[in-house]
Amino acid sequence: MGDYDHPVVVDLRMFRDAWLLKRNWGVQFTNWYYTHGPKAAKIIEKSFMLRKLTFVLIVKPLQIFTKNLNNMAAKHFMIYYQKVQALM
């Protein structure tokens, strides 16, 4: 992908910021990923087949999962916010 503003990158970044970095295991995973991810990316970027497989089997399913999770969190927040507003 390589584009900071690509929709998939934006969704995954939102998931990282809203979910992963707020949990100890998420911080540990993120640190591991930033340590080891570039090595894997160098291998993947050299192969058309690996790029396609990685996108179809890992990146896209993860984006769908994280987008649904982000949307669910937003819905719960709106319900909570509406309940708080009704109490005022």
Side-chain angles (χ1 to χ4, degrees):
M1 269 167 276
D3 178 4
Y4 186 81
D5 293 321
H6 189 283
V8 173
V9 175
V10 171
D11 288 339
L12 295 176
R13 190 170 52 244
M14 286 175 53
F15 174 71
R16 179 201 63 201
D17 295 346
W19 291 87
L20 288 181
L21 295 180
K22 293 184 178 180
R23 291 154 177 81
N24 287 333
W25 63 267
V27 171
Q28 291 173 349
F29 172 78
T30 302
N31 290 336
W32 177 88
Y33 174 78
Y34 285 130
T35 299
H36 300 286
K39 297 170 195 167
K42 284 182 183 180
I43 295 167
I44 293 167
E45 75 181 350
K46 294 177 185 176
S47 168
F48 176 80
M49 183 62 74
L50 284 178
R51 286 195 313 268
K52 293 300 175 191
L53 282 173
T54 302
F55 184 80
V56 170
L57 297 177
I58 299 172
V59 175
K60 193 61 180 174
L62 186 58
Q63 184 230 2
I64 292 167
F65 171 76
T66 60
K67 192 169 191 159
N68 288 335
L69 196 59
N70 289 336
N71 288 340
M72 187 173 45
K75 286 177 188 176
H76 285 288
F77 174 77
M78 288 306 298
I79 291 168
Y80 172 77
Y81 179 78
Q82 290 169 348
K83 288 180 180 180
V84 168
Q85 291 299 317
L87 294 174
M88 295 181 152

